[in-house]
C-alpha cells in the first residue's frame, strides 16, 4: 500500500487559492458592478478595453474567466492606477495572481480586488498587448463594456505570436482567410521588435525567455494567418462533427456572439 502523504508535501492547486477565487464570504460581481468600475476610467477620459480572457469570451471563445485585464494608453497608465487607488471603498490593491507560468508579465502590473467580491482587475499598458488603445479602436458590447475591435484584436494576436489566443478568436467568430485579407494587414512579417521587448522584459523580471516560444525570426503574417484558419477543423476534435459545427465554439448558422446579451460581457 502507498505511504500516506505528509500534509506539508501534499499536492496543492493554486486554482483554489483565495488569491484566485477570493475569500469565502465574497459574492459574485453583478454586471452593473463591472460597468461602474470601467466608468471610473472612462469618466476621467481614459480610453480602456478588456483583453485576454474576457475579450476572447466576448468574441465567442469557450475560455474560462480569469482576472479582468484592462488595457489603457501607456501615457495614462499611472493616472488609471491612481484613480483605482483613490477608490478605496470599492477597490483594494492586491498581490499578483499565482496563475500563469514563466514569463507571466501580468505579475508586474498593479492588481486590484473588488471589496467583498471575488473579482480581480489588472491594468496594463497598451504596449503590453501591442494594441493602439484609442476610442476609434474600441467597441462597446450590448452591456456597455469596452473591447478592442475584432480586427484590432486579431492584428494584435497575430503580431505578438499569440497563436493560442488567435486560434480561440478565429474559432469564436468563425473567421475565414478572406476575412483576414479584408480586415488585417497581412503583408510583411510579425512585429519582431515587440517580441524582442517582451523577451527583454521577461528576462528583467527574472524569467527565462527561451520558454516563451517566441521567435524573433520574421514570420510572414499571411502564412501564420492562413495556417491558423486552416486548422479550424482539426481543432474541433471527434466530439464536434463537421456536419453540425463550423468551429469548436460555433455551430453552423449560429448567431454572432457579440450580438447576444450575456452576463458580465
Amino acid at each position: 500500500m502507498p505511504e500516506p502523504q505528509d500534509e506539508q508535501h501534499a499536492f496543492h492547486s493554486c486554482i483554489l487559492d483565495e488569491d484566485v477565487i477570493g475569500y469565502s464570504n465574497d459574492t459574485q460581481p453583478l454586471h452593473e458592478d463591472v460597468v461602474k468600475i470601467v466608468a471610473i476610467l472612462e469618466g476621467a477620459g481614459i480610453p480602456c478595453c478588456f483583453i485576454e480572457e474576457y475579450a476572447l469570451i466576448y468574441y465567442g471563445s469557450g475560455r474560462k474567466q480569469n482576472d479582468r485585464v484592462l488595457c489603457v494608453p501607456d501615457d495614462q497608465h499611472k493616472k488609471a492606477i491612481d484613480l483605482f487607488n483613490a477608490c478605496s471603498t470599492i477597490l483594494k490593491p492586491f498581490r499578483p495572481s499565482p496563475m500563469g507560468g514563466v514569463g507571466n508579465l501580468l505579475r508586474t502590473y498593479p492588481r486590484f480586488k473588488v471589496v467583498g467580491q471575488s473579482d480581480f482587475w489588472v491594468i496594463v499598458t497598451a504596449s503590453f498587448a501591442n494594441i493602439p488603445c484609442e476610442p476609434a479602436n474600441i467597441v462597446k458590447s450590448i452591456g456597455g463594456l469596452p473591447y478592442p475591435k475584432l480586427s484590432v484584436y486579431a492584428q494584435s494576436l497575430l503580431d505578438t505570436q499569440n497563436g493560442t489566443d488567435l486560434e480561440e478568436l478565429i474559432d469564436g467568430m468563425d473567421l475565414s482567410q478572406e476575412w483576414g485579407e479584408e480586415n488585417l494587414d497581412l503583408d510583411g512579417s510579425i512585429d519582431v521588435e515587440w517580441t524582442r521587448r517582451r523577451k527583454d522584459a521577461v528576462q528583467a523580471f527574472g524569467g527565462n525567455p527561451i520558454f516563451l516560444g517566441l521567435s524573433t525570426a520574421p514570420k510572414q503574417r499571411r502564412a501564420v494567418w492562413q495556417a491558423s484558419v486552416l486548422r479550424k477543423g482539426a481543432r474541433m476534435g471527434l466530439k464536434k462533427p463537421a456536419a453540425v459545427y463550423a468551429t469548436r465554439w460555433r455551430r453552423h448558422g449560429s448567431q454572432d456572439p457579440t450580438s447576444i446579451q450575456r452576463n458580465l460581457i
Side-chain angles (χ1 to χ4, degrees):
M1 294 180 63
E3 293 291 329
Q5 282 189 317
D6 185 326
E7 186 176 356
Q8 290 184 339
H9 296 91
F11 174 76
H12 173 71
S13 172
C14 63
I15 294 175
L16 300 178
D17 281 358
E18 62 185 21
D19 296 353
V20 177
I21 64 174
Y23 303 122
S24 59
N25 60 344
D26 281 340
T27 62
Q28 294 295 314
L30 300 175
H31 185 269
E32 51 264 36
D33 298 324
V34 179
V35 172
K36 286 178 182 178
I37 293 176
V38 171
I40 294 171
L41 302 185
E42 292 182 335
I46 301 178
C48 60
C49 59
F50 289 107
I51 59 172
E52 305 232 343
E53 282 83 6
Y54 278 87
L56 293 173
I57 294 168
Y58 172 65
Y59 283 117
S61 164
R63 186 70 66 84
K64 300 297 183 183
Q65 296 176 355
N66 203 344
D67 288 358
R68 299 182 194 278
V69 183
L70 203 57
C71 172
V72 301
D74 288 40
D75 61 357
Q76 298 196 63
H77 186 251
K78 183 180 183 302
K79 180 180 178 181
I81 298 302
D82 290 343
L83 286 169
F84 268 35
N85 279 320
C87 297
S88 57
T89 59
I90 303 173
L91 295 156
K92 293 289 187 183
F94 207 82
R95 52 192 171 271
S97 170
M99 302 291 284
V102 177
N104 180 17
L105 290 181
L106 284 177
R107 295 176 58 84
T108 67
Y109 286 92
R111 185 175 188 239
F112 295 84
K113 181 184 180 297
V114 180
V115 176
Q117 294 181 359
S118 55
D119 202 21
F120 296 90
W121 294 63
V122 181
I123 304 182
V124 303
T125 58
S127 59
F128 169 85
N130 203 12
I131 287 178
C133 188
E134 53 193 50
N137 294 325
I138 296 172
V139 64
K140 286 292 187 74
S141 69
I142 294 175
L145 296 177
Y147 298 90
K149 287 183 175 179
L150 179 58
S151 58
V152 172
Y153 198 43
Q155 190 74 51
S156 162
L157 298 177
L158 179 63
D159 274 338
T160 59
Q161 301 185 65
N162 193 337
T164 299
D165 287 4
L166 179 62
E167 290 180 348
E168 292 267 358
L169 188 68
I170 288 170
D171 295 348
M173 293 299 292
D174 191 15
L175 302 179
S176 64
Q177 293 187 52
E178 292 74 22
W179 182 91
E181 293 289 347
E182 294 172 2
N183 294 277
L184 303 177
D185 178 5
L186 297 180
D187 294 331
S189 64
I190 58 170
D191 192 340
V192 173
E193 288 305 315
W194 181 92
T195 301
R196 290 197 180 101
R197 291 195 300 271
R198 171 57 62 93
K199 286 189 169 186
D200 289 344
V202 169
Q203 194 160 24
F205 179 50
N208 189 340
I210 196 172
F211 293 112
L212 293 177
L214 296 178
S215 171
T216 53
K219 296 180 182 178
Q220 296 302 300
R221 289 175 176 145
R222 180 167 282 104
V224 174
W225 174 258
Q226 290 176 347
S228 299
V229 171
L230 288 173
R231 287 195 294 265
K232 280 195 293 186
R235 292 192 292 267
M236 291 195 295
L238 298 176
K239 294 184 178 180
K240 300 288 179 71
V244 178
Y245 288 88
T247 75
R248 56 181 157 161
W249 306 129
R250 295 283 296 278
R251 289 174 177 263
H252 291 293
S254 60
Q255 190 173 350
D256 180 343
T258 66
S259 67
I260 303 171
Q261 175 68 62
R262 289 175 287 160
N263 188 34
L264 302 181
I265 301 294

